[in-house]
Amino acid sequence: MIAVIGLALGILVGLLFSPDVPPAFQPYLPIAVVAALDALFGGVRAQLEGVFNDRVFITSFLSNVVVAALLVFLGDQLGVGSQLSTAVVVVLGIRIFSNAASIRRSLFKA
């Protein structure tokens, strides 16, 4: 319940204050969000399978975001930022859909 309250407060604060993302960080924000969603879906799947560990979730969440951002930064430095960003989104998207399928099978026993 605390997580739901925290989520609601975060959305409310975001809507009230409309924070601006500095232009230097704008290319990394979508990648960080996709990486965070990957960790979130993985955590839900692990919870449904009964193997959830909060330390694994936190380290997965943080490492996904950092590694994805570093890959995009490296791509920008090499001049292939858009291609590397696309690759990161595709890989994380595959993981998200795989976790979503596992969640669906766990919930609906299908």
Side-chain angles (χ1 to χ4, degrees):
M1 188 58 154
I2 293 173
V4 173
I5 293 170
L7 178 63
L9 283 174
I11 290 172
L12 182 66
V13 168
L15 290 174
L16 290 177
F17 292 108
S18 323
D20 293 328
V21 177
F25 295 133
Q26 286 177 354
Y28 308 107
L29 183 62
I31 302 299
V33 169
V34 172
L37 284 173
D38 173 48
L40 178 69
F41 276 85
V44 170
R45 190 200 84 233
Q47 179 67 33
L48 289 172
E49 292 175 355
V51 295
F52 181 80
N53 182 333
D54 57 345
R55 289 183 181 182
V56 172
F57 174 73
I58 295 296
T59 56
S60 169
F61 185 88
L62 293 175
S63 65
N64 278 2
V65 171
V66 169
V67 168
L70 285 174
L71 282 172
V72 173
F73 175 75
L74 180 63
D76 285 342
Q77 298 303 308
L78 295 173
V80 293
S82 63
Q83 292 92 342
L84 216 48
S85 294
T86 302
V88 169
V89 169
V90 167
V91 168
L92 291 174
I94 290 169
R95 290 173 44 110
I96 289 169
F97 281 109
S98 174
N99 284 330
S102 293
I103 291 167
R104 178 184 45 80
R105 282 191 297 272
S106 292
L107 290 176
F108 299 117
K109 309 291 187 255

